[in-house]
Every structure is written in structure tokens, then in C-alpha cells.
Amino acid sequence: MASSYSIDLKLELMVTGEKAGLWGDITNTNLVIVQQAIAGFQQVALNATTGATLTFTNGATSNGKNAVIELTGTITGNVDVTIPSDITNKVYIIKNSTSGAFSVTVKVSGQTGVTFSATDKGTKILYVNGTDAADSNIGKLSNDFAPQLSAQLDVNGQSIGDGTLELIKFTEAGSAVNEITIANAATTAAPAISATGDDTNIDLNLTPKGIGRVTLNGNGKIQGVAEKVTTSASFDSDVVIDTNTQGVILSTAAADANFVINLRGDGSNSLNASLDTGESVTVAYISKQNATAYYPTEIQCDGVTTNVTTVWQGGSAPSSGNTTSNDIYTITAIKTAASTYTVLAAQTQFA
């Protein structure tokens, strides 16, 4: 009777009495094949458009018998790595190191298999279950009902998301000593997001993108607040207040002429773009006055008075400043429609 071959590893199964003088070589070859199945590693280069079919040659080492396979090559379309249909049981560690934004599917011939997405250049532990290649999903947190970290989680410069969309991104300063701590709380207490670290006094910055705002949904409570003040050492008859970056302008140079106060978003954005309809912004201009006092002749929004209705505290606009004083002009601009504002203004003397 002639030798036969095992189903999955294609080991040569000799019959008693045959292969006289060859048993040693055949047995050694079988042991090498077993070693290949347990600890073997091989790179398999994929065809750019068709992928590859793993080989299982009778009585010989073959790429499909390896425990670990690294898929290489540049692919120009979605490709398959096919396992012959007579292979019913096999475990693989497969790393997708292909180049090209296309998927790679590992499957038993005629089946659907397991797919590495176009962006998945990772490693999977697969097994042939008698019908097809299946993903063990070993290593996925979703398989662990109570995952616990035993060391710091290294995100390796990656974001956290659902596999397609980013939810949280991380950046890291090489010399960082400060960080954020997120704490939960017991009944009646509030959870907290805190700045922590080696430094004693640390700001916590919340930065919107562009001219977007940080929105607090619901009521707010402030225990202490500081407002940015821009100090100007020279007088300009065209006083521009950038409402996106400053709330107060202090002029330390005395006014030497009447002036116009203009509210805008900033140098790149209009007030109209910076405010939604139904929103307001309040600013203050502190004007130093000497023996001859001056005052604002008009208040503009985005450089014009068109569609700007200004109403003054007390019922009338000032006709002069206050000598040897600091005159504070407090201005609230309410956007009532596109590029349309009601402006509430007041003059207060501090001497």
C-alpha cells in the first residue's frame, strides 16, 4: 500500500513495510513541516490584482503551512489570499503589510473569509473552522467584559474612534509635566475635569476652532473670572475693538480729537460672522481725557452704522467728554438679524 497524506499539513503517512531505507528522511521532513506549522514564519508576496493562493504540497514544506504569514507587495485592487478547500483545520497569525489602499480577504476557496480593510495594516489571529477562515478576535477589548490596564495605555500617536471616524485625538509634548485628570463623583457631588501635574498653578484651556465658541449647555456658575484688557499707549481716532480677542481697551494716551468706536470680530472675521442672531457681546473702552475732553461721535459695527441702532443710557448721546478723567464707554451690541444690531451704550466718568 502506498503512503497517504494528512488532511491539513500534508504529512506523509507511511505504511508499515514500505519506504525501506527512507523512513529517516521522510520522518525528518514531517518534523520540519510540524515545526513550520508551530513556529514557522514566511512572507508571501501578493499579486497586485489577484492576491495569492497558499500552497500545501504533499510531503514538503509550503508557505500555507506556516504559523505566521506576513502579506507583502503593492496591491492595486481588492485581493484575496485563498486557502485550498481541502484544508479544514489550521491556525494562522497573519500580518497585512501590503501597500495600497485596498482590502485583503483571507478565505477558504469558495467562502467569504476575513477581510483586512483598506486602512487595516494590522495583525489578525485566524483559524480555519472546517468551512472557512474565521477571526478569533483575540486582542479586541470587546471580548473582555472587564478590561483592566496594568500599565499606562500608549496610544502610539493614534486617535480613539469607531474604526472609521475619530472621536478623540491626542497630542503629546515631549517635556510635559502637566496633564488632565477626569474624576467621577458620589451621590450629590459633581464629576470633575481638572488640570493636574508638577506645577503649582496651571491654567486649563478649552480652545474652539476658528471663531467657534465654547458652549455651556445649561446654567453656569463662575467662582472667579479675569477679563483680557488691551492697553494702548497711543491715541487713535478710529478705535477698533476685536470682540473675539478682547473685552476691554485701556487707552493710556489722552484723546486729542473726537473718535469713532468700531466693533468687529477680529482682523479676519466680521462681527456679523462672529455672532448668531439673538446673541450679544459687551465691551468697554476706557478713554483718558486731559483739560480738553473728547467723545465718540458714532458707534459702528463692522465699520458702518448702516442697520445699527444706538441708544444711550439717559436717553441722549454724549456731546462731550469729561475733563481730566477716565471716561468709560460700555457698549453692548445685540444682533437682531443679519448685519443688524441694537447697540446699548453708556458713558461713565472716573476721576
Side-chain angles (χ1 to χ4, degrees):
M1 181 182 294
S3 294
S4 60
Y5 296 89
S6 65
I7 295 175
D8 298 307
L9 293 181
K10 306 301 182 182
L11 302 173
E12 185 170 354
L13 306 177
M14 295 172 287
V15 178
T16 302
E18 72 161 347
K19 307 289 185 181
L22 298 176
W23 276 65
D25 290 340
I26 294 173
T27 299
N28 287 340
T29 298
N30 282 341
L31 291 175
V32 171
I33 295 172
V34 171
Q35 177 178 286
Q36 189 178 35
I38 295 173
F41 167 81
Q42 188 168 342
Q43 291 181 327
V44 176
L46 304 189
N47 180 277
T49 58
T50 60
T53 296
L54 299 181
T55 58
F56 290 79
T57 304
N58 288 337
T61 57
S62 311
N63 63 13
K65 299 178 183 180
N66 284 281
V68 182
I69 294 176
E70 181 178 13
L71 306 176
T72 64
T74 299
I75 56 176
T76 58
N78 299 331
V79 298
D80 296 331
V81 175
T82 303
I83 301 168
S85 58
D86 61 340
I87 305 302
T88 57
N89 296 282
K90 182 72 173 73
V91 176
Y92 286 110
I93 298 174
I94 296 184
K95 177 176 175 56
N96 180 19
S97 293
T98 59
S99 299
F102 299 96
S103 66
V104 176
T105 299
V106 180
K107 66 178 186 176
V108 170
S109 179
Q111 304 300 319
T112 57
V114 176
T115 298
F116 290 84
S117 71
T119 58
D120 184 359
K121 303 301 180 179
T123 301
K124 296 181 184 294
I125 299 178
L126 311 180
Y127 61 94
V128 179
N129 59 13
T131 303
D132 196 5
D135 193 341
S136 69
N137 288 318
I138 293 175
K140 288 188 175 181
L141 288 176
S142 58
N143 291 327
D144 192 335
F145 294 101
Q148 291 182 328
L149 298 178
S150 59
Q152 180 176 323
L153 176 63
D154 184 356
V155 298
N156 193 32
Q158 302 299 313
S159 61
I160 294 178
D162 64 357
T164 302
L165 302 176
E166 295 175 328
L167 300 178
I168 303 174
K169 297 180 69 173
F170 299 90
T171 60
E172 180 177 320
S175 58
V177 296
N178 301 316
E179 68 285 320
I180 291 174
T181 295
I182 301 176
N184 61 4
T187 303
T188 73
I193 300 176
S194 306
T196 57
D198 293 353
D199 291 340
T200 301
N201 299 305
I202 316 165
D203 290 340
L204 179 62
N205 295 328
L206 300 176
T207 305
K209 185 177 181 180
I211 59 173
R213 274 83 58 85
V214 176
T215 300
L216 301 177
N217 292 317
N219 296 328
K221 180 174 68 174
I222 298 176
Q223 294 182 329
V225 64
E227 190 168 18
K228 183 176 180 180
V229 176
T230 300
T231 301
S232 175
S234 61
F235 171 76
D236 191 334
S237 60
D238 184 15
V239 179
V240 177
I241 302 179
D242 290 342
T243 62
N244 289 337
T245 59
Q246 55 196 194
V248 178
I249 294 182
L250 169 63
S251 178
T252 59
D256 57 19
N258 291 334
F259 50 91
V260 172
I261 298 176
N262 176 33
L263 276 61
R264 66 181 186 179
D266 54 45
S268 302
N269 300 283
S270 65
L271 183 66
N272 183 57
S274 301
L275 288 180
D276 294 332
T277 299
E279 293 182 340
S280 68
V281 63
T282 299
V283 295
Y285 175 61
I286 305 172
S287 175
K288 183 177 180 180
Q289 304 293 323
N290 281 343
T292 302
Y294 299 94
Y295 64 98
T297 56
E298 63 181 35
I299 296 177
Q300 301 176 344
C301 291
D302 291 327
V304 298
T305 56
T306 307
N307 295 328
V308 177
T309 301
T310 301
V311 291
W312 284 89
Q313 183 182 33
S316 60
S319 57
S320 67
N322 296 284
T323 59
T324 321
S325 301
N326 283 302
D327 287 341
I328 297 183
Y329 294 93
T330 304
I331 303 165
T332 298
I334 304 169
K335 182 177 176 180
T336 57
S339 298
T340 304
Y341 306 91
T342 295
V343 174
L344 308 179
Q347 179 199 69
T348 305
Q349 178 188 12
F350 286 82

